[in-house]
Amino acid sequence: MSILLTGGTGYIGSHVAVAVAQLGHEIVLYDNLSNSDEAVVTQIAQIIGRPLTFIRGDIRDTQLLQLTLRAHGVAVVVHLAGLKAVGESLVSPLDYYGNNVQGTISLMQAMKAEGVRKIVFSSSATVYGQPKYLPLDEAHSLSATSPYGRSKIHIEELLRDVAVSDPSWSIACLRYFNPAGAHDTFLMGDNPKGTPNNLMPFIAQVAMGKRARLEVFGDDFETEDGTGLRDYIHIMDLAEGHAAALEFLGSSQGWHAINLGTGQPYSVLQMIRSFESVSGAAVPFEISARRPGDVAACYANANKAKSVLGWAAKRNLREICESTWRFQQTLAQRLK
Ligand code: NAD
Ligand code: WQD
């Protein structure tokens, strides 16, 4: 089957592309490269051992999407394209609604016109807002503390309305917790442009000596060591979760929201210690003020993914840190 991945050259998209290509599917990557590099296409081809199609395009370009869906006989779309920096979304909300929400409407219009009715959407645990209980299951109420988070809620809701209006649609909104780590080959991983917003790439860059120290955002949360608790999920597990979701869409209809997490939380200090122990490198840090909007703890109840998709995360924190470290070293070699 032919699968279109919007945002396919990004961190998560590239790993999903490899996982589904290795199941024998044809993959078409569609990305405007606003936050990724075309070199990823070569790395994917190297890993899967065959060439693939890359289209440089914007999801707001409905016409180009239609042409692409038609030309490649696309059966399913994995929709990962989007802007994802929480802080930036507070400064530029129109960019976030335009890119994420308007972009998704454009994609759905193109799919409708071309008769493609199956889509996996990259949602986020951020849609749960401030947790009312833990672990978070899919029945938890939705709220957001940023335009980024609200763009994800708007998209989930518009996708549900589409599924209600026409039962031939099959839609899975995968709510990712904290993706981290790198591919088993260490050829691909999280390599953000500019200063990393997320914890793991920041820790990795400090360990590599690219940055002097990590700022730990608050040590006065209601958690055992006072730092924030999160559910870090290995990127390979996350990619396999998408493969399971694609199979699920083959035999289901309607709209579904499914958490992709491990259910096992770790604190910021535990992440630092684990990374230091795996890498043997020091990660100097200092405690600073809480980051606005951060919650004390956020982790998944992952039962639905197990029962509906037959999927559960298999890899542990050590494997997350080890692959991140090995990827950083591969990257440094490549840049020499
Ligand atoms: P990423 O920035 O690495 O990948 C997103 C890709 O989308 C980039 O390659 C970017 O160039 C592309 N893109 C952005 N706007 C586009 C547009 N208008 N048209 C075409 N391409 C466009 O981010 P990622 O971490 O791989 O995230 C992928 C998806 O998963 C995003 O939708 C993100 O919101 C969601 N998500 C990410 C996380 C996380 O922590 N990484 C957590 C939850 C959800
Ligand atoms: C993890 C922990 C920070 C950086 C964000 C988005 C969410 C989702 C995933 C897309 C927190 C602490 C971080 C640093 C730190 N993305 N931290 N120093 O905040 O759980 O979620 O990314 O959907 O929407 O909000 O992830 O990696 O930014 O932070 O102390 O330099 O690390 O306070 O406790 P978060 P994160």
Side-chain angles (χ1 to χ4, degrees):
M1 146 171 110
S2 173
I3 300 169
L4 180 83
L5 293 104
T6 73
T9 48
Y11 170 46
I12 300 171
S14 55
H15 290 78
V16 174
V18 168
V20 299
Q22 286 177 333
L23 292 174
H25 300 299
E26 286 311 310
I27 51 172
V28 179
L29 309 189
Y30 186 100
D31 201 299
N32 67 1
L33 301 179
S34 58
N35 197 37
S36 53
D37 199 314
E38 196 171 342
V40 168
V41 179
T42 313
Q43 270 127 35
I44 296 174
Q46 199 180 329
I47 297 171
I48 65 175
R50 60 179 201 269
L52 61 140
T53 308
F54 169 64
I55 315 265
R56 183 171 186 170
D58 197 291
I59 51 169
R60 289 163 292 187
D61 186 343
T62 318
Q63 226 177 351
L64 180 59
L65 278 169
Q66 271 189 246
L67 286 173
T68 306
L69 292 170
R70 202 179 312 150
H72 296 278
V74 170
V76 191
V77 174
V78 183
H79 176 31
L80 305 115
L83 301 178
K84 62 163 185 175
V86 174
E88 185 183 69
S89 79
L90 288 159
V91 178
S92 311
L94 289 178
D95 289 347
Y96 273 68
Y97 290 119
N99 203 83
N100 296 1
V101 181
Q102 201 175 318
T104 303
I105 293 171
S106 159
L107 171 64
M108 293 297 282
Q109 283 168 335
M111 289 175 67
K112 186 169 182 225
E114 296 303 320
V116 183
R117 293 284 186 274
K118 293 185 193 305
I119 180 168
V120 175
F121 169 60
S122 295
S123 190
S124 166
T126 196
V127 299
Y128 295 122
Q130 178 75 41
K132 296 195 170 107
Y133 58 85
L134 288 162
L136 291 154
D137 60 24
E138 292 81 355
H140 189 283
S141 58
L142 304 188
S143 74
T145 51
S146 72
Y148 166 70
R150 251 182 303 282
S151 78
K152 291 292 180 192
I153 296 177
H154 288 334
I155 295 168
E156 282 205 3
E157 286 174 343
L158 84 83
L159 292 176
R160 193 171 43 201
D161 286 341
V162 170
V164 168
S165 76
D166 175 353
S168 66
W169 282 89
S170 306
I171 300 175
C173 294
L174 302 181
R175 295 176 179 162
Y176 312 154
F177 280 69
N178 292 65
H183 193 263
D184 278 357
T185 58
F186 316 120
L187 289 172
M188 305 188 306
D190 198 1
N191 186 22
K193 289 187 173 171
T195 308
N197 291 300
N198 293 116
L199 180 66
M200 261 320 252
F202 208 109
I203 288 182
Q205 293 191 7
V206 173
M208 288 296 288
K210 290 185 196 163
R211 294 180 189 277
R213 70 185 61 78
L214 171 78
E215 271 186 70
V216 173
F217 298 139
D219 66 350
D220 56 354
F221 288 102
E222 305 257 302
T223 62
E224 207 164 302
D225 66 20
T227 66
L229 287 177
R230 295 291 184 276
D231 184 338
Y232 298 91
I233 172 170
H234 197 299
I235 189 73
M236 299 282 297
D237 280 327
L238 192 78
E240 289 165 13
H242 287 72
L246 287 172
E247 207 176 309
F248 167 69
L249 287 190
S251 58
S252 73
Q253 286 183 323
W255 179 94
H256 308 267
I258 304 170
N259 286 342
L260 293 186
T262 68
Q264 170 67 57
Y266 289 102
S267 74
V268 179
L269 295 182
Q270 284 175 313
M271 297 300 288
I272 296 171
R273 279 190 214 109
S274 174
F275 201 90
E276 287 186 323
S277 124
V278 165
S279 66
V283 180
F285 65 88
E286 64 189 17
I287 308 292
S288 66
R290 288 185 186 192
R291 188 171 57 178
D294 266 358
V295 300
C298 175
Y299 51 95
N301 174 330
N303 293 342
K304 186 170 176 184
K306 195 158 194 188
S307 61
V308 171
L309 305 181
W311 168 93
K314 297 192 290 238
R315 296 161 180 90
N316 60 27
L317 180 57
R318 204 181 160 77
E319 289 165 289
I320 290 178
C321 293
E322 199 161 356
S323 62
T324 304
W325 180 237
R326 298 277 302 269
F327 168 64
Q328 283 293 329
Q329 289 172 323
T330 309
L331 209 56
Q333 280 293 329
R334 208 185 290 154
L335 296 176
K336 259 188 190 167

